[in-house]
Structure formats: structure tokens, C-alpha cells
Amino acid sequence: MQCPKFELKNGKTVQLSRVVLGTGKFYSEQDKSNALEILDEYVRLGGNCIDTGRQYGLSENIIGEWLETRKCRDKVSILTKGGHPSLKQPNKSRLSKQDLCADLEASLSAFSTNFVELYALHRDDESMPVSEIMPTLHQFIEDGKVGAIGTSNWTEERISAANDYAKKNKLTEFSFNNPGFSLADCNHPPWPGCVMAEESMLAWHRENAVPLFAWSPQASGFFSGKYSPDDTANREMVEVYYSDSNWSRLQKATKLAEKLTCTPTQVALAYVCNQPFPSFAIIGARTKEHLQQAFEASRISLDHQAMHWLTDQKLTTDGVV
């Protein structure tokens, strides 16, 4: 499956791998040794886009050290995020010009670079007018510090409103979106302030061909075989993913995996990568094996019939498309 091309605002075109390396787990110095090995393996397998965020502890610093020691800044694109409320004041918005500028400069310093390809707002504050947000992001583009701007955990209505304002005022528009998305639907978002890609958002992506960078594309291991309806030990999984619809999707993914000689988790990842718009799966792999399996899954081609069968409640699990 060919990887989609991504147009940056500086005229540069990058072709990003379907598997994006998520680094939210690279949270502390204790993770550094394994983190560096995972980064090396990711590039060896052909990956070229790293997802991180100012909120992710020491993740940006570990990535910066890796970029410096491996001398590979030209081999990868960076997607980082700012504007997340602080842990001390989780209800206080941080989308002001001052906060966003501080976050971006801190990220650039951690990476020891003066430019990141993709920059997203990590959270939204719907009480804040988009007119107070978009000029700051446009300036990041104009200053040559950011290649493209996007959103993480924004609704499609807010993204559209922001882009309408930007278009009318000749400012840079959002050109990618980073919601939670997987084959398993969430009963509710796993964390406060998160936005999951439901059907209305997917329809918006189809209509506008906006790239989607999916966090939690494997539904926190729901398709791994570790969970069953009568196993309720993990309360977070029960509350977020346990539903008749998702058990049906797991059964179908398992049957399709048998036909394709892969795992249900790989089917779930392939589902994310086979959307009718540019789509990328952000994988928080802890082992080299998990990374290798993700790249294998990203190369699985699912046709429209298979995609429809996996999610349509009216279609039974009998037979495999």
C-alpha cells in the first residue's frame, strides 16, 4: 500500500509511513535505553514519522538525544503537540499566544532543531474563539518553525470553524487531525478532553480528504485476545471498550485474521490504515516485535467489502468475506 504524500506549507512534500511511532511511553530516563532501541528499529523498518508532545514528560528530550547521536534528523518527520493543560491546573486552558509560543520553543529546544514538520494543538478550549488561536499558529508557519498545523482532540465542527476563519483572513488552515480511532468504538473517551473519531468525523474526513493520525489504533490491546466479556478485572477496558458491538468486531477480526494468516490486532491496525482518506496509525510499541507486526499490518490491503463487513452490525460473523 503506497504511503500518502503530505504537503507542507513551506513547499516541501513528505511521504510519511503509515505506521507513526508514538512516544507517549518514553516518559522518563528509566525508559531511555529501550526507547533508543525502539527508535532505531522503527527507522530500520522504514518508519519516518515520530509522534510526541510537550505533555509527554521527557519524551521530546529522549528523541532529541537520539536525533543528535544518530545524526538522522533528515530521515524523520516530527509531529509534536502543544497547548495541553498542565497537570497542576488541568482545567486551565493553555491556548494563549504566550502558552503556545512557550510550548513550541521548548519543543524545538528539546529536539535541538529549529523546525518541526507537523505541529498540533493537544487539546481544545471551546470557550476560546478561533480568532484568538489561528493567528499564532499562522505565525509559526510564517517564521519557518512549523511545516503544517493540525489538531488533536478537536471536534470536526471546531476544526471547520477555525479553517473558515483562517480562509477568510488569509491565514494558514489546519491540514491534519489527530483523534482517537480504531476498529473498536469507545463507549466514552478514555481521558478527559479527548475526542474519538465517530462516524460524523469520519464522514468529514472522507469529504475533505484531510489526513487522520489515529492515536490508540489498536484499542489498547482489545484485539490481542487478553480480554473477554466475563473478564472484568481491567475496569478501564470494561468502561471504554466492552460492548456487544465491539465483541462482534473482535470475532470478525479473528475470522478475517485466520483467512489472512495474521493476528486480529493486525486486522484492526489494517482497518485504520485502509480508510478512504489519508490515514496513519500511531503505535506506542514497547518491543521490536510489536513494531515489526505493525509494519506487516500496515501492508495488508482490505477492500471495501471487508471494511464494511467488519463494522456492520447487520452482517453476521458467519463466513469470511
Side-chain angles (χ1 to χ4, degrees), residues 11 65 122 196 250 302:
E65 178 180 332
H122 209 161
M196 314 306 295
L250 173 57
L302 299 179

Side-chain angles (χ1 to χ4, degrees), residues 1 10 50 65 138 184 321:
M1 188 189 311
N10 59 3
I50 300 171
E65 178 180 332
H138 176 75
V321 295

Side-chain angles (χ1 to χ4, degrees), residues 9 16 21 31 33 55-56 65 70 73 80-81 85 88 102 120 181 197 220 236 258 283:
K9 299 303 179 182
L16 304 180
L21 181 62
D31 300 321
S33 178
Q55 181 71 2
Y56 295 164
E65 178 180 332
R70 292 350 186 228
R73 178 65 184 92
T80 195
K81 303 178 286 293
K88 292 183 179 180
F181 177 53
S220 299
E236 181 176 317
E258 293 171 357
I283 302 300

Side-chain angles (χ1 to χ4, degrees), residues 128-136 165 171:
M128 188 173 185
V130 294
S131 60
E132 297 181 20
I133 299 172
M134 300 309 287
T136 301
Y165 175 83
L171 302 175

Side-chain angles (χ1 to χ4, degrees), residues 106-149:
S107 293
L108 294 175
S109 176
F111 298 132
S112 296
T113 188
N114 58 9
F115 172 80
V116 291
E117 285 76 8
L118 308 175
Y119 193 76
L121 300 184
H122 209 161
R123 288 290 191 275
D124 191 12
D125 173 8
E126 295 192 2
S127 69
M128 188 173 185
V130 294
S131 60
E132 297 181 20
I133 299 172
M134 300 309 287
T136 301
L137 299 176
H138 176 75
Q139 195 60 51
F140 291 168
I141 298 286
E142 291 293 291
D143 291 343
K145 297 180 179 180
V146 171
I149 56 173

Side-chain angles (χ1 to χ4, degrees), residues 5 27 64 74 122 138 151 171 184-185 202 214 222 263 266 292 297 307-308:
K5 293 182 179 180
Y27 204 82
D74 60 331
H122 209 161
H138 176 75
T151 53
L171 302 175
D185 285 334
L202 298 178
F222 180 80
T263 68
Q266 287 177 309
Q292 293 162 0
M307 296 282 282
H308 179 67

Side-chain angles (χ1 to χ4, degrees), residues 120 177 185 255:
N177 185 29
D185 285 334
K255 287 199 171 187

Side-chain angles (χ1 to χ4, degrees), residues 46-242:
N48 66 357
C49 185
I50 300 171
D51 167 84
T52 185
R54 192 90 284 271
Q55 181 71 2
Y56 295 164
L58 294 176
S59 296
E60 289 183 328
N61 299 81
I62 292 172
I63 294 165
E65 178 180 332
W66 175 77
L67 291 170
E68 176 61 27
T69 58
R70 292 350 186 228
K71 306 298 180 186
C72 61
R73 178 65 184 92
D74 60 331
K75 294 182 180 179
V76 296
S77 293
I78 297 173
L79 190 172
T80 195
K81 303 178 286 293
H84 194 292
S86 69
L87 294 177
K88 292 183 179 180
Q89 296 179 294
N91 297 318
K92 184 178 182 296
S93 173
R94 294 191 62 260
L95 295 179
S96 69
K97 179 178 181 179
Q98 180 180 359
D99 287 328
L100 293 179
C101 288
D103 277 1
L104 177 60
E105 292 304 322
S107 293
L108 294 175
S109 176
F111 298 132
S112 296
T113 188
N114 58 9
F115 172 80
V116 291
E117 285 76 8
L118 308 175
Y119 193 76
L121 300 184
H122 209 161
R123 288 290 191 275
D124 191 12
D125 173 8
E126 295 192 2
S127 69
M128 188 173 185
V130 294
S131 60
E132 297 181 20
I133 299 172
M134 300 309 287
T136 301
L137 299 176
H138 176 75
Q139 195 60 51
F140 291 168
I141 298 286
E142 291 293 291
D143 291 343
K145 297 180 179 180
V146 171
I149 56 173
T151 53
S152 183
N153 302 302
W154 279 46
T155 66
E156 66 272 21
E157 291 87 359
R158 277 279 284 180
I159 300 171
S160 295
N163 282 350
D164 287 344
Y165 175 83
K167 187 178 299 183
K168 290 177 182 176
N169 291 276
K170 298 182 179 180
L171 302 175
T172 306
E173 299 175 40
F174 289 129
S175 57
F176 67 93
N177 185 29
N178 172 215
F181 177 53
S182 73
L183 175 58
D185 285 334
C186 287
N187 299 319
H188 62 77
W191 303 290
C194 290
V195 172
M196 314 306 295
E198 298 179 347
E199 179 51 38
S200 61
M201 179 173 282
L202 298 178
W204 180 84
H205 276 276
R206 290 192 294 267
E207 179 180 353
N208 296 282
V210 173
L212 186 153
F213 290 79
W215 56 260
S216 199
Q218 295 170 317
S220 299
F222 180 80
F223 295 91
S224 66
K226 294 190 297 183
Y227 305 103
S228 62
D230 57 350
D231 177 4
T232 59
N234 189 321
R235 296 308 305 171
E236 181 176 317
M237 289 297 295
V238 171
E239 293 173 5
V240 175
Y241 289 112
Y242 279 33

